[in-house]
């Protein structure tokens, strides 16, 4: 499916499919950080009031950092329930990135109070007994998933700022653990930190002595 333009506005179409079946507490689920080389993958789950209101929430990738923080605060203010969970590098290395993302998502859903009756996710096909819609690009199409994307992104960014203080020199606060040139240069100089995902190919090659020339240009 092609990328959606920034002008796309979320609506309630996927939530309404569940509402028509009598499931009124619909949780949106989204993640941040799956492609990063360091730090956690972060998953948020959000149940918005089923009032079909127009919110300013958008896919977090479409927004500047200050606007994301502003909208994330509004999500926390209006949500019926929300939760944010992290899967850290050791869990990612043990389960693989998809398995760790699913595990964090299920933990977030378990923390919702009241519990959800149905789900809309951004193409995350969770193993759950709950009715689920998992369309691609749901963070740009669904208010609930857009709200979750805001909490996941801002929550993970906060973690990466903390990791930047714990592991100075890598630039985590700037590139958020993705494979930016500054990150590759820091790895060449400093080596692999405890915050890195050791099973990710560029990090694994470095640990195996493959050298920086094996780093791909993209994460």
């Amino acid at each position: 499916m092609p990328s959606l333009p920034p002008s796309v506005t979320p609506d309630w179409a996927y939530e309404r499919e569940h509402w028509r079946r009598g499931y009124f507490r619909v949780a949106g689920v989204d993640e941040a950080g799956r492609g990063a080389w360091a730090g956690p993958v972060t998953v948020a789950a959000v149940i918005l009031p089923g009032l079909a209101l127009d919110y300013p929430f958008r896919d977090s990738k479409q927004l500047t950092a200050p606007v994301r923080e502003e909208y994330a605060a509004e999500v926390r203010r209006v949500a019926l329930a929300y939760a944010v969970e992290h899967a850290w590098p050791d869990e990612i290395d043990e389960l693989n990135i998809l398995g760790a993302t699913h595990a964090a998502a299920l933990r977030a859903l378990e923390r919702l109070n009241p519990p959800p009756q149905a789900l809309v996710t951004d193409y995350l096909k969770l193993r759950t007994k709950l009715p689920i819609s998992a369309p691609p690009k749901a963070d740009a199409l669904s208010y609930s998933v857009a709200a979750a994307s805001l909490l996941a992104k801002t929550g993970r960014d906060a973690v990466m700022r903390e990791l930047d203080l714990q592991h100075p020199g890598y630039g985590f606060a700037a590139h958020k653990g993705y494979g930016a040139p500054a990150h590759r240069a820091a790895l060449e100089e400093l080596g692999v930190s405890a915050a890195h995902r050791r099973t990710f190919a560029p990090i694994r090659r470095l640990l195996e002595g493959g050298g920086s020339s094996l780093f791909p240009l993209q994460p």
Side-chain angles (χ1 to χ4, degrees), residues 161-180:
R161 290 192 293 270
E162 294 177 5
L163 289 176
D164 191 58
L165 298 175
Q166 297 172 21
H167 304 280
Y170 290 96
F172 290 146
H175 54 64
K176 307 301 187 295
Y178 286 90

Side-chain angles (χ1 to χ4, degrees), residues 45-49 55 57-58 68-82 143-144 146-151:
V46 178
I47 302 176
L48 294 174
Y55 290 109
F57 310 146
R58 300 292 184 271
R68 282 197 296 265
E69 295 290 346
E70 177 186 347
Y71 287 176
E74 181 67 5
V75 171
R76 292 189 290 269
R77 187 184 73 82
V78 303
L80 185 64
Y82 67 88
Y143 274 125
S144 299
S149 80
L150 290 163
L151 295 194

